Amino acid sequence: MRSLTMTAVGAVLALTAGTAYAQDRNVTIVLSEELELVDPCMASQSNIGRVVLQNIAETVTELVPGEGLQPRLATSWEDRGDGTWRFNLREGVKFSDGSDFTAADVAHSIARTINNDALVCEIGAKYFGGMELTTNVVDDTTLDVTVDPPQPILPLLMSTLTVVPEDAPMDSYVTTPVGTGPYTFDEYNRGQNIKLSANNDWWAQSPEVTGATYVFRADSAVRAAMVETGEAEIAPNISVQDATNPDTDFSYPNSETVYIRIDVGNPPLDDKRVREALNLAIDREAFLGTIMPDGTELASAINVPTTLGSNPDIKPYAYDPDRARTLLEEAKADGVDTGAEIELIGRTNNFGNVLETLEAIQSMLQDVGFNIDLQMYEVAEWIDIYSKPFAEDRKPQLFTAMHDNANGDPVFSMYFKYHSDGLQSAIEDPKVDELITKATAATGDERAALWSELFAYLQEDVISDIMLFHMVGFSRVSDTIDFKPTIRTNSELQLSQISFK
């Protein structure tokens, strides 16, 4: 009897301890925006990626900072010539719904994400624009992928492709994503939180974090305070003025570039003198160390300087308001309506101090004679008007955006942003299209040179944008966990990389 009692007590204690252990292994992450979608094929958007990417849905390969391209769902790959690559896939992997992972799932994910007329997937539009991919399932663990035109960096491109089961719909987004990752998607309580829990059937070693709750707070100070008070473990995006605790706050180059896309085809922005005046009217240096944190760099291209083909000969436009006024007067004398109202569009909570930044830019542009109407939009509406098809009756627009490319090659940016058929391109220029096509297919020094030529042409000949800043990110991390943000934290936050102190 005593033995049974002690056993029962021991069981209770073990259960209690087990419960406490599980509770202690949950983390709360506070994001700046609520997620519009949770479909893995949209995980290239930062806040979606932080929840979904490599937590729920895994990629074929993985680019690891400091280590380069690594296996993920593919264990190896080889170039078989004529645009065809063979991917050898991991055995014994299951999706969180219990189904087996096979080469057919990767083939389906490629078809669903890329060149799919029934569904706009940002990963396909952003990273695989202008490419036609065909697949051949050799067997359950072997897949051949042929790309037209041939892609010498296809294994790197496949580090962006999130894999979903073969039965994921081709014509609609999923609301409960299923993947092969270390976590399952449990709940999305709109307006409140998203909850994940550990996938006990994950193919790799079980992570320490057994569950995660994502909450949404627009105010940076609130997000930082939540980590300070123990309400959350990680706030991945806070403003510089809230990063006041050196023990918990991390800063890092985050691969983001803030720029303003010019509506090049819409008068008066179709006049090159007007576009140059816009660039000359902004005192970029005045933002550094004030609204923008120390470490922020002036940008002359959409990719950070560590990207292949970065061109050090291209300089940011110097602040010259007098020259800007002169250019506007010359354009006006030639009949250009330089007094037309121009919308300066921004996205609420896009980055720290975004409103203050755009209000200052509005003032600088008005100072030289522009008529600027500042409009701020929440993320869903912002994305809708940022991407094609653009409204036919729109006013001339200056569209503020922040672009992330942590993958080291401009191929992840240029078609999407600048090709005539790019989803978010505001220009149609045959030379730009030709350079993108050539650079995408090139290798080695030729590839770098072509990208470099394109960066210079866009900045100096087309003047397609107002390039502003290469950004520095700030994250607050609780001193109860062991997690160090990296350049990739801006687009993904792998729970399996977190441990407890």
Side-chain angles (χ1 to χ4, degrees), residues 199-256:
N199 175 10
N200 295 325
D201 293 326
W202 190 39
W203 52 269
Q205 181 178 357
S206 297
E208 287 193 32
V209 171
T210 56
T213 301
Y214 298 84
V215 297
F216 321 106
R217 301 290 185 272
D219 191 303
S220 168
V222 171
R223 296 196 298 275
M226 288 180 67
V227 177
E228 189 77 18
T229 60
E231 293 180 77
E233 276 67 39
I234 301 176
N237 178 25
I238 61 174
S239 301
V240 57
Q241 62 265 32
D242 298 317
T244 56
N245 186 343
D247 294 332
T248 58
D249 301 338
F250 294 83
S251 67
Y252 47 91
N254 65 3
S255 74
E256 293 276 17

Side-chain angles (χ1 to χ4, degrees), residues 417-438:
K417 298 292 185 183
Y418 295 108
H419 193 279
S420 298
D421 296 327
L423 186 64
Q424 294 177 352
S425 173
I427 64 173
E428 293 184 7
D429 188 312
K431 181 173 180 178
V432 171
D433 296 350
E434 181 183 9
L435 283 170
I436 290 173
T437 300
K438 286 183 176 178

Side-chain angles (χ1 to χ4, degrees), residues 146-402:
T146 302
V147 191
D148 181 20
Q151 299 298 313
I153 63 166
L154 183 63
L156 179 60
L157 285 164
M158 296 295 274
S159 70
T160 69
L161 183 82
T162 47
V163 177
V164 294
E166 193 176 7
D167 61 359
M170 289 291 289
D171 58 354
S172 62
Y173 298 117
V174 298
T175 56
T176 304
V178 172
T180 59
Y183 296 89
T184 62
F185 187 94
D186 295 346
E187 301 176 37
Y188 191 170
N189 302 300
R190 290 279 175 183
Q192 298 182 47
N193 56 46
I194 291 173
K195 294 186 177 182
L196 311 186
S197 62
N199 175 10
N200 295 325
D201 293 326
W202 190 39
W203 52 269
Q205 181 178 357
S206 297
E208 287 193 32
V209 171
T210 56
T213 301
Y214 298 84
V215 297
F216 321 106
R217 301 290 185 272
D219 191 303
S220 168
V222 171
R223 296 196 298 275
M226 288 180 67
V227 177
E228 189 77 18
T229 60
E231 293 180 77
E233 276 67 39
I234 301 176
N237 178 25
I238 61 174
S239 301
V240 57
Q241 62 265 32
D242 298 317
T244 56
N245 186 343
D247 294 332
T248 58
D249 301 338
F250 294 83
S251 67
Y252 47 91
N254 65 3
S255 74
E256 293 276 17
T257 300
V258 170
Y259 72 110
I260 298 176
R261 185 183 73 190
I262 302 174
D263 192 2
V264 171
N266 206 355
L269 303 177
D270 58 347
D271 190 287
K272 185 178 177 180
R273 291 166 297 186
V274 173
R275 300 197 297 274
E276 185 175 355
L278 287 166
N279 272 280
L280 295 170
I282 296 174
D283 185 0
R284 295 164 177 78
E285 296 276 359
F287 291 86
L288 306 184
T290 55
I291 294 177
M292 291 294 162
D294 291 333
T296 302
E297 298 180 10
L298 301 188
S300 59
I302 200 169
N303 292 157
V304 293
T306 53
T307 307
L308 182 73
S310 178
N311 189 336
D313 296 330
I314 311 171
K315 304 300 180 185
Y317 281 87
Y319 178 50
D320 191 344
D322 291 337
R323 175 62 181 160
R325 293 187 187 96
T326 299
L327 287 168
L328 284 182
E329 290 169 2
E330 291 176 0
K332 183 178 180 181
D334 290 340
V336 177
D337 183 10
T338 57
E341 185 176 84
I342 299 171
E343 287 185 339
L344 173 60
I345 295 174
R347 171 177 155 187
T348 305
N349 296 317
N350 194 193
F351 54 87
N353 298 327
V354 59
L355 180 59
E356 293 83 353
T357 299
L358 295 188
E359 287 177 338
I361 288 175
Q362 178 188 31
S363 177
M364 291 173 183
L365 295 177
Q366 289 175 333
D367 183 57
V368 301
F370 284 106
N371 180 9
I372 302 295
D373 177 31
L374 176 59
Q375 298 283 333
M376 299 297 293
Y377 291 91
E378 296 293 333
V379 57
E381 190 172 8
W382 178 90
I383 288 173
D384 185 51
I385 58 176
Y386 184 36
S387 302
K388 292 178 178 176
F390 303 136
E392 292 289 338
D393 59 349
R394 68 188 184 281
K395 294 179 180 178
Q397 294 176 338
L398 302 175
F399 211 104
T400 311
M402 186 165 69

Side-chain angles (χ1 to χ4, degrees), residues 123-138:
I123 287 175
K126 191 172 184 178
Y127 302 137
F128 295 88
M131 306 176 200
E132 292 287 339
L133 275 69
T134 54
T135 55
N136 176 36
V137 176
V138 179

Side-chain angles (χ1 to χ4, degrees), residues 78-86 132 134 145-152 154:
E78 61 178 308
D79 185 355
R80 297 177 69 83
D82 297 327
T84 298
W85 288 78
R86 173 162 291 183
E132 292 287 339
T134 54
V145 182
T146 302
V147 191
D148 181 20
Q151 299 298 313
L154 183 63

Side-chain angles (χ1 to χ4, degrees), residues 437-472:
T437 300
K438 286 183 176 178
T440 300
T443 59
D445 292 343
E446 181 188 8
R447 186 181 184 90
L450 287 165
W451 288 132
S452 184
E453 181 182 349
L454 177 58
F455 288 140
Y457 182 65
L458 289 168
Q459 171 82 344
E460 298 170 352
D461 293 275
V462 181
I463 314 183
S464 55
D465 310 288
I466 304 169
M467 287 295 165
L468 294 174
F469 311 111
H470 298 308
M471 302 292 279
V472 172

